[in-house]
Amino acid sequence: MDILVQVKTAMDKFEEAVKAMAKMPKDELMKAIEENKKLCTCPVCPTYNNCTKTGKELLFCATGKSFMCISEYKGCICPACPITDAIGLKHTAFCIKGSEKAQRYESAIWGTKVL
Ligand code: SF4
Ligand code: SF4
């Protein structure tokens, strides 16, 4: 699959969700983020640890990598999280690999996976 086809197929549920969020007033957006945090299943993932818990880190698919908390990857339960289906996530392990947007960008531009 060439880069143009990859970019075109990326214009999907996730892209639509990002566009919809970009149009939201700030207070509405913050409210939506807090609601989505309640759905994030990271706290029951084996990779989630005391550091991320203490820092109340959640929603890595949107916010990106954990801030220096994750040192050991023990698997990812993102595919079973309701957010994955709701906004069409294609990637996983966001706490160590970066947000969905970052992983899609790296993959489309460089044809590689984020390490
Ligand atoms: S997809 Fe993963 S990072 Fe995103 S909200 Fe769900 S469990 Fe959290
Ligand atoms: S992003 Fe995936 S690997 Fe990281 S804590 Fe959440 S469910 Fe686990």
Side-chain angles (χ1 to χ4, degrees):
M1 189 184 292
D2 63 31
I3 287 176
L4 284 178
V5 173
Q6 280 187 346
V7 170
K8 192 176 179 188
T9 53
M11 294 292 287
D12 55 14
K13 208 172 183 180
F14 177 72
E15 291 287 343
E16 286 170 15
V18 169
K19 283 181 186 171
M21 284 189 274
K23 289 177 187 169
M24 283 182 183
K26 196 174 178 185
D27 58 337
E28 199 178 311
L29 178 63
M30 296 311 289
K31 195 176 166 190
I33 289 171
E34 289 309 310
E35 288 302 311
N36 284 338
K37 280 184 179 177
K38 292 177 192 169
L39 298 173
C40 177
T41 55
C42 286
V44 294
C45 172
T47 298
Y48 203 78
N49 58 26
N50 282 335
C51 180
T52 47
K53 186 178 178 183
T54 302
K56 295 182 179 165
E57 294 187 11
L58 291 166
L59 223 59
F60 299 108
C61 51
T63 60
K65 294 178 188 178
S66 165
F67 187 67
M68 298 173 74
C69 274
I70 309 284
S71 56
E72 192 180 354
Y73 178 67
K74 298 178 180 175
C76 179
I77 61 169
C78 286
C81 171
I83 298 290
T84 290
D85 186 52
I87 63 171
L89 299 176
K90 292 183 176 178
H91 294 272
T92 59
F94 307 104
C95 60
I96 54 170
K97 292 183 177 177
S99 69
E100 174 76 11
K101 196 187 277 186
Q103 291 192 58
R104 284 186 183 215
Y105 178 79
E106 289 280 338
S107 174
I109 300 299
W110 302 110
T112 57
K113 292 182 178 175
V114 179
L115 297 177

